[in-house]
Amino acid sequence: MFGSLALASPWMLAALLLLPAVWLLLRLIPPRPQRVDFPPLRLLSDLVPRQRVAARSPWWLTALRLLLAACVIAMLAVPILRPSAHTGLPRSGPLLLLFDNGWASGSNWELRRNVVQAALETAEQERRPVALTALAEPVSDLSLSPAAAIVEKLAALNPEPWQANRGAFAGTIGDFLRAEPDAEVVWFSDGLAGEGDDTFLRALAPAVERGHVTVYRDDASGVLALAGANNAPSGITVRVLRSGALGSPLRGSVRALDLKSLPVGQADFTFLPGVSETTATLDLPVDIRNDIARIELAGDNSAGSVQLLDRNWRRRVVGVVSGQDKDVSQPLLSANYYLSRALQPFADVRAAEGTSPSEAIGRFIDDKLPVLMLADVGNLGDAEGKLSDWIENGGVLVRFAGSRLAAAENTLLPVKLREGGRTLGGALSWEKPQKLGSFDAGGPFASLAVPDDVSVKRQLLAEPDIDLPGKTWATLTDGTPLVTAEKRGRGLLVLFHVTADTTWSDLVLSGTFPEMLRKVVGLATAGPANDARPDGSAASNASPIYASPSRTLDGLGAFQVPPATAQPVRADRPGVGRPDHPPGFYGPPDGLVAVNALAPNATLKALDFAPLNATFAAYSVAKPVMLGPALLVFALVLLMTDAMIVFFMSGGLSRLTRAGAGSAALVFLALALVMPHDAHAQARAFDPALRTRLAYIVTGDKETDDTSLAGLKGLTAYITERTALEPGPPDGIDPAKDELSFYPLIYWPIVAGQAPPPAATMARIDAFMKSGGMVIFDTRDALQRDAGQADTPAADTLKRLLAGLDIPELEPVPSKHVLTKTFYLLDKFMGRYDTGETWVQATPQTADDADKPVLGGDGVSPIIITSNDLAGAWAVDDSMNPMFPVSTGLERQRELAYRAGVNMVMYALTGNYKADQVHVQDLLERLGR
C-alpha cells in the first residue's frame, strides 16, 4: 500500500524491468520494399541484395510502444486509488468500536461496514490497538487487538435479524473504559431506540466527560419496517413504520411473494411529513392473496422490512365442485358463480373446472382442504370412500340438491331422501312455493334473522325419521327440512335440500345465504393440528405444540438454513424474533408457523441523542477508484494509434478497395441451412385442433370399428354437401390416451359383454362431457328389444359403463326439444333401425312452455343414448355407396338417419340457439307448412 494508492497485484510491477529489452526489439522493423525503375535488366541485377540491413523505427514510435507496454503492466497490477480515510478521531490511544448490527442496520449494511473499514484502516496506519464489539451478538469480553486482526473479524460480521441489545453490553463496556481510561469510543448506531439504552448511555459516561465519543448516525433516510399484516375482505393491509427523517414526505412500495419467492402483487404507500406510520393495501383476488407467504419493502433489505404470513393468517380454503356441465354453468346461472360470490368475502374459493367430480374431489382432499361444497353432484364414483374418510378426520362436506343428486344412489347424506323430491308451484302441482320458516335454536344459524323474501319452488324431501329433528338446521314454513346436517367422526356432513343456483329457489339471491355459508365454513378447523377448535384457536386443555425451525431470515431479510442456536417455538404463541428464535418459518411445510422481527402492534422510536455530549458524524465514505479500466482504455488508444501509423507507413491504404463475392454466397448458404424443416408435419400434429372433426371410440372389435369409421365418413360427406360446415376426416380415438377436447361429438358403439374402461379413463370422459362435449352411446340392439328382450347384453354393458359417470336425469327426446329443430325438423331419430328410443338430458318444463314451439333449457345435453345403430345407416364404402340395408328397406329411412346425424352435430356445435326468440317466427312458419 502506497499512501492512498493501493495495488492488488504489486508483483506485476516487476515486468517493468523488461522495458529495455522491449525497447531493443521495437527499434527493429521489417525493411521497406525497394523501388526499382526500368529498364528491366537493371531490375534483374538488383533482385538479390548483397547485404541485408534492418530498418529502424522512428524514436517517437518506439517511445509510444514503450508507453503502451508500461500501461499494460500497470493495469495488470490492479491499481486502486483510495481517498484518505479521515474519521476526525484523535491520533493516539486505544480505540473502542461499538457496532449496531441488528436488523435496522441491514438496509445500508455495506455503507456502514465501509465506514467501519475506513476507521480500521486509519487506526492501522496510526498503529492504534482496537477493540470491536457487535451489539446484536452475544455478550463477550472486550480485548484490544491490532487493527489488521479486527479487519478479519469485521469481514465475517453480518447483520442479525433481531434488534441490537445495547443494555446487555453496559457492564462489559464500563469495565473496559475503567481499564483503558484514555480509550476513544466510536459508536456506529442504527438510530433506533431499544430496551436498555439508558444503561448503555450511562456506561459511556466516562468517555463522554473526556469528549472521547464519536457517534455515527443516519439522519437522512431513517429506518423502515413492516408489521401487523391483516387479510381483510377488501385486500391485504400491512402497517408501514418509519423512524427518523419525519420532516419530509416519503413514497415507496411493498411487494408480495409466494413460498417460491415469485412476485404476486405490489402496492404503493406514502408518508406525509411528520407521520411515522401508514398503511399499504394489496388489492388482490382471494385465490392469489392466500398464496402470499411474504410481504417485503421494495428496495429495503432487512429482516424488519419483511412480514411472513403462515397458515393461521390465511383464510380457510373451500373447494367447489359442480355436477353441471360447462354449457349449463354460465355466469349468473351456474352454481359455481353463486357459491363463489357468497364465499369470497371470507374464504378462498377453488372451483373445479375441466375435470370429473370424483377426480376434483380426490385432488381437493389431497390438497388437505378443510371444506368441500358439492353442487348437484350425484355419482361420487371412486371418491366416495375417500370422501368419507376425509369427513371422519375433520373435513366439512356441504352438498346441494339438484337433478343429478335426486337420481343418484349414495350413502353420503345426513338423512335418507325420498325419490324424486317435491315440486312446489307450476301447472302440475297443487302446492304453492314455500317460504323459509325457522332456524334451529341449537344450530349454527340461530343468530341469523329469518328472511321473508326466500321462496322455494322445489326441494328434496327427507324421509320421516326419529332423528330428523335433531339433524335439521333450517326448515320451510310447512316444517320440511331446508338444511340438514350430521356429525361424522371429527367432521360434518351438511345438505342443502335446494340447488346452489336459482333453479329451485331464490335462497342464493338473499343476503342470508352468504351468512349461512360463513357459519358452516366457520365450523371447519383452521389447519391440520388436531387440537384446533372450529374457530382455529388451540384448545385450552391441550398440551403445547412446538414447531421446529424450517428456514429463517438473516439480517438482510433473505431466507437461510436455520442456525444451530435456533430453538423450536410454540405453535400457538410463536412470539417475535430473538437470538434463540430467529424470524422465519417453523414447522412442517403443510403447517408453517411464522415468526417476524416485529410484533403486530410494534412501533419504531428514534434514539434520542440529545443527552449525549458527543461528536456526531454521518455515514459516508469516499469510494475507492479502480484505475485499471482507465489504463485499459489508454492502452487501447495507444494500440490503435500504433496500428494506424504502421498501416499508413506500409502502404496498406491502396488495398482497401478489394472485395470478394464469395462471402455473400456463404451468408446465403448459412441462411438456407438454418431454415426450419418439416413445417407441414408440425401443422399436421395440430390439425384436430384447427379443423372440426367427428370421432368414434375404438372398441377393439374390428367389425364394429370399421362400421363406425365408415358411418362417420358418410355423415361427414353428407354434412359437407348439405351445410356450410366442412369437417375433416373422422378420427378413431382411445379415450385413455388421446385428447378429447378437440372433438365436439364422440360416437361410442356399445359392444355387448365388453368390460368398462378403467376409472381414470371414465374420469376423462366425465370431464369431457362436463366441459361441453357430447357423447352418443349406441347399443344397436333395437331389434332385440323388439323381440321382447327387456335387458339385452348391450344394455347391461351400457349400464355398467354409465355407473362410472355422473349422469343427469334422462328422458326420451320431447317433441319440442331443440334437438328436433337444430337444422332439420324431425319427430324421430332413426338409424339402421327405426323402433329404438333416443334419450337426452331431462329439460325442466314450466307452465309457459306449452305455448312455445321449442323447449329452451339451459344448455346442451352432454349425453345421447340410442339403440337404432346410427353408424350402420350412415356407413358408406369407398365408392360412397351404402354398406348396410335399413330395417324398412326404404331409402327415406336412411335419409332421415342422415338428418338425425346432422341435427346432433349442429346441436353439439351451436347448442340451444334455436330456442332464442329470434327463431320463433321462422319455426312457426315451417311447422305450419
Side-chain angles (χ1 to χ4, degrees):
M1 184 179 296
F2 301 91
S4 61
L5 179 65
L7 299 175
S9 303
W11 53 272
M12 289 298 304
L13 296 181
L16 293 174
L17 300 176
L18 300 177
L19 289 180
V22 175
W23 176 74
L24 292 175
L25 293 175
L26 293 178
R27 293 184 62 206
L28 302 178
I29 63 174
R32 298 181 61 182
Q34 259 188 335
R35 176 170 178 157
V36 178
D37 298 328
F38 279 95
L41 294 179
R42 177 68 179 272
L43 175 63
L44 294 176
S45 63
D46 293 339
L47 280 178
V48 181
R50 299 183 180 86
Q51 184 178 2
R52 297 177 181 272
V53 179
R56 299 182 182 276
S57 61
W59 67 269
W60 50 270
L61 182 59
T62 302
L64 183 144
R65 292 175 175 174
L66 288 176
L67 181 60
L68 173 61
C71 287
V72 173
I73 294 172
M75 180 187 65
L76 295 177
V78 191
I80 303 174
L81 180 62
R82 299 183 184 274
S84 178
H86 177 69
T87 62
L89 303 175
R91 301 300 178 180
S92 62
L95 182 61
L96 173 61
L97 302 181
L98 305 176
F99 192 13
D100 285 345
N101 67 323
W103 64 261
S105 64
S107 58
N108 55 357
W109 174 253
E110 291 300 327
L111 174 61
R112 295 171 187 268
R113 189 159 60 177
N114 289 338
V115 173
V116 180
Q117 177 89 16
L120 289 174
E121 291 176 357
T122 301
E124 184 179 6
Q125 294 176 14
E126 298 170 353
R127 302 182 181 277
R128 304 176 65 189
V130 180
L132 172 66
T133 182
L135 300 179
E137 304 289 341
V139 179
S140 59
D141 294 334
L142 293 175
S143 59
L144 294 172
S145 303
I150 301 298
V151 170
E152 298 178 0
K153 180 180 178 180
L154 177 65
L157 204 61
N158 290 304
E160 300 294 349
W162 49 80
Q163 190 170 352
N165 186 7
R166 306 184 188 98
F169 288 84
T172 304
I173 295 173
D175 294 341
F176 178 85
L177 293 179
R178 284 190 290 270
E180 302 290 343
D182 295 331
E184 305 293 337
V185 179
V186 182
W187 176 19
F188 301 93
S189 73
D190 57 19
L192 196 62
E195 297 181 2
D197 287 346
D198 295 338
T199 306
F200 173 77
L201 294 178
R202 284 196 298 270
L204 296 179
V208 172
E209 293 175 357
R210 293 189 299 271
H212 290 175
V213 176
T214 300
V215 179
Y216 278 83
R217 62 181 185 180
D218 190 356
D219 295 332
S221 59
V223 179
L224 293 175
L226 297 179
N230 179 34
N231 193 356
S234 59
I236 299 177
T237 60
V238 61
R239 299 171 58 222
V240 187
L241 313 174
R242 72 167 174 171
S243 70
L246 301 181
S248 59
L250 178 65
R251 301 177 186 273
S253 62
V254 298
R255 57 187 178 186
L257 300 92
D258 60 13
L259 279 174
K260 297 181 180 180
S261 297
L262 298 176
V264 296
Q266 183 168 324
D268 298 330
F269 63 86
T270 302
F271 280 103
L272 298 177
V275 176
S276 61
E277 179 179 337
T278 188
T279 301
T281 301
L282 290 156
D283 186 9
L284 299 171
V286 177
D287 52 348
I288 297 178
R289 215 187 303 167
N290 283 303
D291 290 336
I292 297 174
R294 170 187 176 118
I295 302 176
E296 63 182 17
L297 282 168
D300 192 276
N301 298 323
S302 74
S305 63
V306 174
Q307 272 285 291
L308 300 179
L309 310 177
D310 57 20
R311 61 179 176 85
N312 294 322
W313 169 88
R314 298 168 186 164
R315 297 190 286 173
R316 293 176 180 85
V317 183
V318 179
V320 177
V321 182
S322 175
Q324 297 173 333
D325 56 85
K326 185 177 180 181
D327 286 342
V328 176
S329 301
Q330 298 177 3
L332 302 180
L333 296 176
S334 69
N336 278 2
Y337 174 80
Y338 290 107
L339 288 177
S340 299
R341 291 296 298 270
L343 292 168
Q344 279 178 357
F346 55 87
D348 172 21
V349 181
R350 295 187 185 177
E353 295 181 357
T355 184
S356 65
S358 59
E359 183 179 347
I361 292 170
R363 186 175 71 247
F364 286 156
I365 292 177
D366 293 339
D367 292 342
K368 299 183 179 180
L369 269 61
V371 183
L372 289 182
M373 294 191 178
L374 308 184
D376 190 19
V377 176
N379 190 346
L380 297 176
D382 296 339
E384 184 167 353
K386 193 173 184 180
L387 195 58
S388 180
D389 295 339
W390 172 79
I391 297 174
E392 294 286 340
N393 292 327
V396 175
L397 176 63
V398 183
R399 303 193 69 174
F400 290 87
S403 59
R404 286 176 172 82
L405 184 59
E409 296 183 3
N410 57 64
T411 59
L412 214 55
L413 293 171
V415 295
K416 187 177 181 180
L417 299 178
R418 289 186 179 181
E419 185 177 353
R422 178 175 69 158
T423 301
L424 305 172
L428 302 179
S429 175
W430 292 95
E431 300 179 84
K432 296 181 179 180
Q434 294 289 317
K435 299 289 185 179
L436 204 156
S438 62
F439 294 134
D440 180 54
F445 307 147
S447 60
L448 301 179
V450 179
D452 57 1
D453 58 347
V454 173
S455 176
V456 176
K457 296 175 290 186
R458 185 177 177 184
Q459 69 177 135
L460 292 181
L461 285 176
E463 289 285 356
D465 188 88
I466 190 172
D467 297 328
L468 182 59
K471 297 180 179 180
T472 303
W473 285 358
T475 61
L476 299 180
T477 52
D478 60 357
T480 55
L482 177 67
V483 181
T484 55
E486 181 184 23
K487 184 75 174 179
R488 291 196 179 181
R490 296 176 51 246
L492 190 64
L493 182 57
V494 183
L495 172 64
F496 280 74
H497 291 243
V498 293
T499 59
D501 54 25
T502 58
T503 307
W504 290 15
S505 75
D506 51 10
L507 174 65
V508 295
L509 300 178
S510 68
T512 306
F513 185 64
E515 296 302 322
M516 295 173 70
L517 295 186
R518 184 193 296 270
K519 296 290 185 181
V520 174
V521 173
L523 299 176
T525 57
N530 292 334
D531 65 334
R533 292 202 301 261
D535 60 355
S537 60
S540 58
N541 57 352
S543 58
I545 294 180
Y546 288 88
S548 300
S550 175
R551 47 179 171 168
T552 58
L553 296 176
D554 60 14
L556 298 176
F559 283 114
Q560 64 174 358
V561 177
T565 57
Q567 301 295 322
V569 300
R570 283 191 58 167
D572 56 337
R573 292 199 298 268
V576 296
R578 56 181 189 267
D580 55 342
H581 302 314
F585 283 124
Y586 291 72
D590 58 346
L592 293 176
V593 177
V595 176
N596 288 295
L598 280 78
N601 58 348
T603 58
L604 298 184
K605 183 180 180 182
L607 188 60
D608 186 10
F609 294 101
L612 191 61
N613 185 18
T615 302
F616 294 97
Y619 282 102
S620 63
V621 62
K623 296 183 180 180
V625 180
M626 304 292 294
L627 299 180
L631 291 175
L632 176 61
V633 173
F634 185 59
L636 290 176
V637 172
L638 294 179
L639 181 62
M640 293 294 296
T641 303
D642 180 88
M644 295 299 296
I645 292 173
V646 173
F647 178 77
F648 284 107
M649 290 178 63
S650 61
L653 186 62
S654 61
R655 296 191 295 272
L656 288 178
T657 57
R658 298 179 182 177
S663 58
L666 290 176
V667 172
F668 283 111
L669 179 61
L671 291 176
L673 291 176
V674 300
M675 289 294 290
H677 297 282
D678 202 11
H680 294 290
Q682 297 180 15
R684 286 195 301 270
F686 293 96
D687 188 60
L690 301 176
R691 189 175 182 186
T692 302
R693 292 171 180 261
L694 305 180
Y696 65 92
I697 297 295
V698 177
T699 63
D701 183 81
K702 186 177 186 306
E703 181 180 354
T704 301
D705 294 340
D706 291 345
T707 301
S708 298
L709 176 60
L712 294 188
K713 177 182 175 183
L715 180 61
T716 298
Y718 190 91
I719 292 174
T720 303
E721 179 182 357
R722 299 296 180 93
T723 73
L725 177 64
E726 296 183 2
D731 288 339
I733 60 175
D734 181 355
K737 300 178 182 179
D738 296 323
E739 178 57 51
L740 306 181
S741 61
F742 290 154
Y743 308 99
L745 182 145
I746 297 177
Y747 178 74
W748 193 326
I750 302 301
V751 178
Q754 196 171 59
T761 303
M762 297 307 297
R764 298 190 68 198
I765 294 292
D766 201 20
F768 167 75
M769 296 169 66
K770 283 184 167 52
S771 299
M774 178 189 294
V775 180
I776 301 176
F777 295 96
D778 194 345
T779 58
R780 305 173 298 161
D781 58 354
L783 290 183
Q784 300 179 36
R785 292 177 181 271
D786 293 343
Q789 297 186 28
D791 293 329
T792 64
D796 293 338
T797 302
L798 178 62
K799 289 180 181 179
R800 292 195 301 271
L801 189 149
L802 295 182
L805 300 175
D806 189 20
I807 301 301
E809 289 183 294
L810 302 177
E811 65 177 351
V813 179
S815 60
K816 294 183 179 181
H817 197 278
V818 180
L819 185 58
T820 65
K821 303 170 178 65
T822 50
F823 195 84
Y824 292 104
L825 293 178
L826 300 175
D827 56 3
K828 197 170 185 179
F829 292 86
M830 301 182 183
R832 190 179 178 190
Y833 314 117
D834 63 343
T835 58
E837 193 74 70
T838 301
W839 296 74
V840 295
Q841 179 179 352
T843 303
Q845 300 186 28
T846 64
D848 296 336
D849 291 336
D851 299 330
K852 295 180 180 178
V854 62
L855 296 178
D858 287 330
V860 177
S861 174
I863 182 173
I864 296 178
I865 299 177
T866 184
S867 59
N868 281 335
D869 190 8
L870 297 176
W874 301 335
V876 294
D877 57 18
D878 294 338
S879 301
M880 303 304 292
N881 295 319
M883 295 178 59
F884 305 103
V886 293
S887 59
T888 61
L890 302 176
E891 286 305 308
R892 176 64 179 173
Q893 179 180 341
R894 193 184 307 277
E895 174 69 18
L896 292 178
Y898 276 125
R899 293 186 178 185
V902 172
N903 274 26
M904 292 178 183
V905 173
M906 294 303 173
Y907 182 55
L909 291 174
T910 63
N912 60 353
Y913 84 105
K914 276 294 181 69
D916 294 341
Q917 294 297 320
V918 68
H919 297 283
V920 169
Q921 187 65 31
D922 293 335
L923 289 173
L924 291 175
E925 291 180 0
R926 294 176 63 188
L927 289 171
R929 292 174 184 173

